[in-house]
Amino acid sequence: MRRIYLDANATTQVLPEVLEAMLPFYTQRFGNASSIHQPGQQARAAVEHARASVAALLHCRPAEVVFTSGGTESDNLALFGALQPASEIARGDHLISSAVEHHAILNAAEELERRGVELTVLRPDRAGIISPESLRSAMRQNTRLVSIMLANNETGVIQPIKELAAIAHEGGALFHTDAVQAAGKLEINAKDLGVDLLSISGHKMYAPQGTGALYVRRGLHLRPLLYGGSHERQRRAGTENLPGIVGLGRAAELAQEYLQTGRPRKLAQLRDRLETGILAGVPQTEINGEGADRVANTTNLHFAHLEAEALVIALDLKGIAVSGGSACQSGATDPSHVLLAMGLSPERSRASIRFSLSRTTTDDEIDAVLTTIPEVVSRLRTLSPAWKSAVAV
Ligand code: PLP
């Protein structure tokens, strides 16, 4: 069966060029980057080359890039590292985040709250945007850190980070952004955005799972999460994941090329064609996050009177991989916290699907999806009591 993968926000394939760059570092060039002998020095050179490539993507200095095991670790390092929760100083410090963050931020923030940090969670408007005014009025004397994501993983909605960071700084707080879903999709200039900390994850940008980085503005001291050797300038102990880091570096170079060729515009056209095709071909559908700026590859659509889970499974049986707007936690399908925070009803949240295209998605694939979806949705709806009673009214 032909397989069409429209779940790039969950993870992306490792591009052949990335794999090719990584392979020698498993078998021939496998040194420990901390060793002083030749193989060690070659490994060090490869890590530093990758650091320069990631820095070029984020328009920052190589020394400002800390390699981690992924987005979750980068987010945790930013929050725990900046607030230093183990020390007495952190008690009573104020952290501001938002209700649309990934759980890597939300759960870390809640843990900080349990350890004595005061937490404010900002709510977005119906389009999913955190307004600068809401941040301004949440700022307090003791606000030490603000963490708001750059692009949302479920809706693709882009936040006004530059403005938000400026407000945090006016109030004397640091600003972190989770840019996991923005890296490789949007131009990111850490300095221009005015952020102090910025997280990225390799597997959302065609590098392997278990790789990532945190941008740490020069001069900012972070308390590490891990204690051990003095790797990563004492900001992240542990022998570097050499092949993974090389892969992330190569992926960053490819992302830079991709962004410079204008191909994201082509991807946005494909996404728009998918979106308008579904809206026109399937009754009672609407966009979640409409009216906001969104990354080019993502659309989150509501299919009234349908269980997202049933649609995900039915499409999977047809070879199409998409994701429910619902987060599957501990086996239970909860309505998406992101869509609920935007003020959408639990019913609408449970009836929403995320399509996230990748750089390799083709016109042909979108045609096939547009043919399949109306037929699958109409079949599922004939089985749905909610749809039957809605149609009968
Ligand atoms: N932040 C966002 C916005 C994400 O989408 C994800 C992954 O889905 C993460 C953080 C976590 O990244 P990782 O899977 O690399 O730990």
Side-chain angles (χ1 to χ4, degrees):
M1 194 204 310
R2 180 186 190 188
R3 292 243 150 234
I4 300 176
Y5 185 77
L6 296 183
D7 203 14
N9 288 9
T11 199
T12 54
Q13 72 190 96
V14 171
L15 289 175
E17 298 93 320
V18 171
L19 181 64
E20 194 190 332
M22 292 172 65
L23 282 176
F25 291 91
Y26 282 108
T27 49
Q28 298 129 36
R29 302 173 64 189
F30 56 86
N32 182 324
S34 300
S35 302
I36 55 171
H37 48 58
Q38 189 71 13
Q41 289 315 296
Q42 279 180 2
R44 169 60 49 212
V47 167
E48 296 316 317
H49 179 85
R51 199 185 306 281
S53 304
V54 172
L57 182 68
L58 303 179
H59 297 278
C60 67
R61 296 183 176 87
E64 293 173 316
V65 174
V66 178
F67 288 117
T68 66
S69 66
T72 301
E73 185 187 331
S74 297
D75 285 348
N76 276 263
L77 179 56
L79 264 57
F80 284 88
L83 287 169
Q84 303 197 318
S87 76
E88 281 307 306
I89 317 162
R91 288 210 159 266
D93 277 352
H94 182 219
L95 165 66
I96 301 177
S97 191
S98 90
V100 294
E101 301 299 312
H102 188 271
H103 281 108
I105 291 291
L106 287 177
N107 289 345
E110 281 172 18
E111 177 57 25
L112 281 158
E113 192 180 27
R114 281 189 286 276
R115 297 186 192 184
V117 168
E118 292 172 19
L119 174 64
T120 299
V121 178
L122 301 178
R123 300 191 73 79
D125 64 15
R126 203 167 163 88
I129 298 169
I130 305 296
S131 76
E133 298 71 45
S134 71
L135 175 59
R136 200 182 290 285
S137 49
M139 291 293 295
R140 299 184 200 153
Q141 204 94 55
N142 59 338
T143 307
R144 284 274 302 277
L145 178 67
V146 177
S147 178
I148 311 239
M149 73 201 319
L150 184 37
N152 186 267
N153 42 305
E154 293 189 29
T155 58
V157 168
I158 299 169
Q159 302 295 344
I161 293 301
K162 198 169 172 164
E163 265 181 275
L164 295 168
I167 293 168
H169 289 155
E170 274 167 36
L174 296 171
F175 193 92
H176 165 251
T177 191
D178 175 338
V180 164
Q181 294 290 350
K185 297 174 187 167
L186 297 174
E187 272 290 344
I188 296 179
N189 185 319
K191 199 170 229 116
D192 232 40
L193 284 173
V195 299
D196 302 290
L197 296 152
L198 180 148
S199 307
I200 65 167
S201 169
H203 75 110
K204 314 291 185 178
M205 47 176 283
Y206 308 89
Q209 296 170 356
T211 62
L214 180 67
Y215 157 80
V216 182
R217 181 187 41 76
R218 188 159 79 152
L220 175 60
H221 177 72
L222 277 193
R223 186 191 185 94
L225 289 180
L226 304 176
Y227 290 86
S230 55
H231 311 87
E232 298 297 288
R233 296 172 180 240
Q234 304 194 331
R235 293 170 295 189
R236 204 278 185 177
T239 301
E240 294 87 346
N241 169 5
L242 175 63
I245 288 171
V246 167
L248 179 58
R250 186 72 188 110
E253 290 166 8
L254 294 168
Q256 189 69 340
E257 283 168 33
Y258 170 79
L259 291 170
Q260 282 164 0
T261 58
R263 277 166 61 208
R265 221 171 309 122
K266 166 88 179 81
L267 189 63
Q269 283 163 6
L270 266 189
R271 186 270 316 270
D272 293 348
R273 194 157 76 74
L274 173 70
E275 209 168 70
T276 48
I278 292 175
L279 294 178
V282 185
Q284 298 203 31
T285 46
E286 48 204 325
I287 302 169
N288 298 320
E290 190 163 24
D293 273 348
R294 291 175 295 156
V295 282
N297 80 316
T298 309
T299 180
N300 193 306
L301 299 177
H302 170 224
F303 295 82
H305 309 299
L306 242 182
E307 281 295 327
E309 210 180 347
L311 183 52
V312 170
I313 293 168
L315 289 176
D316 188 40
L317 291 171
K318 297 274 184 188
I320 300 170
V322 296
S323 161
S326 318
C328 189
Q329 311 236 340
S330 64
T333 312
D334 300 324
S336 147
H337 70 279
V338 172
L339 301 184
L340 290 179
M342 287 160 62
L344 308 185
S345 67
E347 294 70 41
R348 178 161 169 175
S349 305
R350 278 205 191 84
S352 293
I353 295 283
R354 175 185 74 190
F355 299 83
S356 48
L357 285 60
S358 58
R359 275 183 226 162
T360 53
T361 303
T362 62
D363 270 302
D364 203 36
E365 287 177 328
I366 295 302
D367 289 340
V369 173
L370 285 175
T371 314
T372 308
I373 290 213
E375 134 209 338
V376 170
V377 171
S378 116
R379 181 166 50 79
L380 288 175
R381 278 179 171 164
T382 58
L383 305 171
S384 154
W387 174 253
K388 279 184 205 149
S389 52
V391 174
V393 169

